[in-house]
Amino acid sequence: MIDLQETARLKKALDERPEDFEKIIEDTDLAICITNEEAKFVAVNENYTKWYEYDRSELVGESFLKVVPQETQTELSDLHEEFMDIQIEMMREWEVLSKSGKRLKISVDAGYSDKINNAPHKITFVKVENA
């Protein structure tokens, strides 16, 4: 399971210093991605790129559905939209895809910020369970 103390620490740091979001998300063992209202990656940390086997340049600006299996894309797209509306998400476990097609079982926690770039964003904290 994901470390909730660590996600709380990072959420607090992001809230206090949103202008440093790229530096803050690197300071953890978790994989982290930040998506905007259009469900596109705004930032990913080094751990995220390691697990998902993508370079940052292959993700930033793209839909997060790039790492989601076809069979759950509609559900996860709907949940992203709902999260942006209500800003609350339950911790969950999902299956995602790496660039090579490997299925990864992950647990996630999410945070909301309207301070990053002065716009609404979802910060997803990821722990790969079947590493």
Side-chain angles (χ1 to χ4, degrees):
M1 279 314 267
I2 199 156
D3 181 348
L4 292 178
Q5 288 182 330
E6 178 64 357
T7 63
R9 179 188 76 79
L10 292 163
K11 288 175 188 177
K12 182 177 184 219
L14 289 164
D15 187 56
E16 292 173 350
R17 298 184 332 275
E19 67 280 2
D20 294 332
F21 71 92
E22 290 176 304
K23 183 178 178 206
I24 292 167
I25 67 172
E26 288 298 337
D27 186 26
T28 183
D29 290 333
L30 298 174
I32 299 174
C33 69
I34 299 176
T35 51
N36 62 17
E37 280 188 302
E38 293 80 37
K40 292 184 177 181
F41 290 110
V42 172
V44 293
N45 71 355
E46 187 67 30
N47 289 329
Y48 196 92
T49 63
K50 180 181 109 181
W51 289 114
Y52 287 81
E53 303 171 349
Y54 284 97
D55 290 329
R56 278 188 179 91
S57 63
E58 295 175 286
L59 294 174
V60 173
E62 297 291 325
S63 169
F64 83 96
L65 296 177
K66 187 171 190 165
V67 300
V68 175
Q70 184 68 36
E71 64 270 16
T72 57
Q73 285 189 357
T74 299
E75 178 185 10
L76 288 177
S77 179
D78 291 346
L79 285 172
H80 188 280
E81 189 174 315
E82 180 181 337
F83 176 86
M84 295 306 284
D85 288 339
I86 64 173
Q87 301 149 22
I88 298 171
E89 181 175 299
M90 300 290 288
M91 279 189 46
R92 298 182 188 215
E93 291 187 352
W94 299 106
E95 194 172 76
V96 294
L97 295 173
S98 70
K99 184 177 180 178
S100 66
K102 180 180 177 185
R103 289 186 178 254
L104 303 170
K105 183 179 175 184
I106 62 169
S107 60
V108 299
D109 185 22
Y112 175 86
S113 175
D114 58 5
K115 294 179 181 178
I116 295 172
N117 297 331
N118 295 312
H121 288 85
K122 178 179 182 182
I123 304 110
T124 305
F125 305 92
V126 179
K127 179 173 184 223
V128 178
E129 299 293 343
N130 63 334

